[in-house]
Amino acid sequence: MSITTVGIVGAGQMGNGIAHVFALAGYDVLLNDISAEALEKSVAVISKNLDRQVSKDKISAAEKDAAMARIKTTQTLEDLGKTDLVIEAATEREDVKNAIFAQLLPHLQDHTILTSNTSSISITRLASRTDRPEKFMGFHFMNPVPIMQLVELIRGIATDEPTYKLLLEVVERLGKTAASAEDFPAFIVNRILMPMINEAVYTLYEGVGSVKSIDESMKLGANHPMGPLELADFIGLDTCLAIMNVLHDGLADTKYRPCPLLTKYVEAGWLGRKTQRGFYDYRGDVPVPTR
């Protein structure tokens, strides 16, 4: 089997990035979202990001035009049933993901592979609720997708070897590098990254350092490109909290307990860049620490 058509569920930040790299690699992409506005915005973002690559001589104008021509959109989820590979990139809530797969199942081709871009939820559990657990995998892209080189490939307990090998080939065609992870809470990247971010929030919560001093310390003292609180705002504090809860619930270890301050920010609706406030306030010309 070869994959030529790819359906992507969710036209948010991850969905449009995934559509971008697949179209550029020569795949026909069908991008789905319940919101027509989200789809329109997503296509505009992809075009803008491809223009940036053209301006930096990473791709040609003809390659950009060809990639854009490969992207189609739909508000009808069932339309994705005719694709060879489906990538679910909806919100990080298991009930939402299960509902999406349940709606898709009656319309899928026999050979269609199902994947989730989840950053933490059990692949085995998601797969068990479908009719094809052997053709189900975690396909976790990093944000921003066009720039980040890593893709985590997560096999559920039932995933078969042909499915795994086929997705390895897809990652290679995208020009990215695959890291194979076992199906344990948060996989590899977030198993390591999120506790670091959570510890940075605890450092702030306990008054050890300010937002500025914590971020500067990690940038200048550990050579990180972004400070952990700045990175949390970029990821989304609600996503960070959700992953910490998955770790805490799944591994039953107190070291994964979400910091109460992280919970408080999420309860306030201060989710980071996407809401203009998080550990920084982004409403002015320059981000200002909120603590």
Side-chain angles (χ1 to χ4, degrees):
M1 178 195 161
S2 64
I3 292 171
T4 59
T5 56
V6 181
I8 299 166
V9 184
Q13 193 172 30
M14 294 305 295
N16 75 57
I18 295 168
H20 173 138
V21 297
F22 270 91
L24 200 54
Y27 294 95
D28 290 323
V29 174
L30 186 57
L31 182 59
N32 163 262
D33 200 283
I34 56 174
S35 163
E37 184 183 355
L39 288 169
E40 190 177 327
K41 180 181 177 184
S42 185
V43 171
V45 168
I46 294 168
S47 181
K48 181 181 175 183
N49 288 339
L50 286 167
D51 281 337
R52 188 179 293 118
Q53 288 181 293
V54 172
S55 69
K56 293 180 178 178
D57 292 325
K58 293 185 182 292
I59 63 171
S60 68
E63 286 174 315
K64 183 237 169 166
D65 292 341
M68 290 302 298
R70 293 186 193 106
I71 299 172
K72 302 289 185 292
T73 64
T74 179
Q75 286 179 261
T76 305
L77 183 62
E78 290 81 359
D79 289 347
L80 272 57
K82 60 192 175 188
T83 62
D84 302 318
L85 168 66
V86 173
I87 304 169
E88 173 273 314
T91 187
E92 193 69 355
R93 282 177 47 195
E94 191 166 347
D95 59 336
V96 172
K97 296 178 186 298
N98 285 331
I100 287 167
F101 291 127
Q103 191 176 336
L104 265 174
L105 287 179
H107 307 278
L108 296 176
Q109 301 178 89
D110 289 341
H111 70 266
T112 300
I113 293 172
L114 290 178
T115 66
S116 176
N117 184 56
T118 180
S119 53
S120 61
I121 296 168
S122 168
I123 297 304
T124 297
R125 199 162 60 237
L126 288 173
S128 72
R129 291 173 172 84
T130 73
D131 64 352
R132 60 196 67 208
E134 72 287 349
K135 289 186 170 68
F136 195 110
M137 279 195 70
F139 207 18
H140 181 215
F141 289 83
M142 306 296 131
N143 186 30
V145 180
I147 295 170
M148 302 296 278
Q149 286 301 300
L150 187 75
V151 180
E152 280 184 314
L153 287 182
I154 306 101
R155 277 182 281 199
I157 196 169
T159 306
D160 63 23
E161 192 66 14
T163 298
Y164 172 68
K165 286 185 174 177
L166 193 55
L167 288 188
L168 271 177
E169 291 173 10
V170 170
V171 173
E172 188 174 329
R173 181 169 161 185
L174 295 177
K176 297 191 181 294
T177 300
S180 298
E182 292 301 315
D183 185 24
F184 288 99
F187 318 131
I188 296 172
V189 173
N190 283 318
R191 172 77 176 262
I192 297 166
L193 176 63
M194 286 303 158
M196 184 198 77
I197 287 174
N198 194 51
E199 197 60 33
V201 183
Y202 265 116
T203 306
L204 178 66
Y205 177 61
E206 294 169 2
V208 180
S210 65
V211 169
K212 182 181 178 185
S213 62
I214 291 166
D215 277 352
E216 282 190 346
S217 293
M218 294 309 292
K219 284 192 284 189
L220 303 179
N223 206 28
H224 289 193
M226 295 173 74
L229 301 175
E230 181 185 5
L231 179 57
D233 275 358
F234 180 76
I235 294 167
L237 304 193
D238 52 340
T239 300
C240 294
L241 179 60
I243 295 170
M244 287 309 302
N245 280 324
V246 166
L247 282 165
H248 191 230
D249 295 343
L251 298 171
D253 193 323
T254 55
K255 73 180 180 180
Y256 299 116
R257 183 172 70 96
C259 179
L261 184 61
L262 178 60
T263 302
K264 184 178 287 188
Y265 269 71
V266 173
E267 288 174 345
W270 292 18
L271 308 181
R273 285 184 175 270
K274 61 187 174 186
T275 59
Q276 295 294 295
R277 278 193 292 188
F279 291 113
Y280 292 86
D281 188 327
Y282 300 93
R283 293 174 296 175
D285 293 334
V286 178
V288 177
T290 54
R291 288 178 86 87

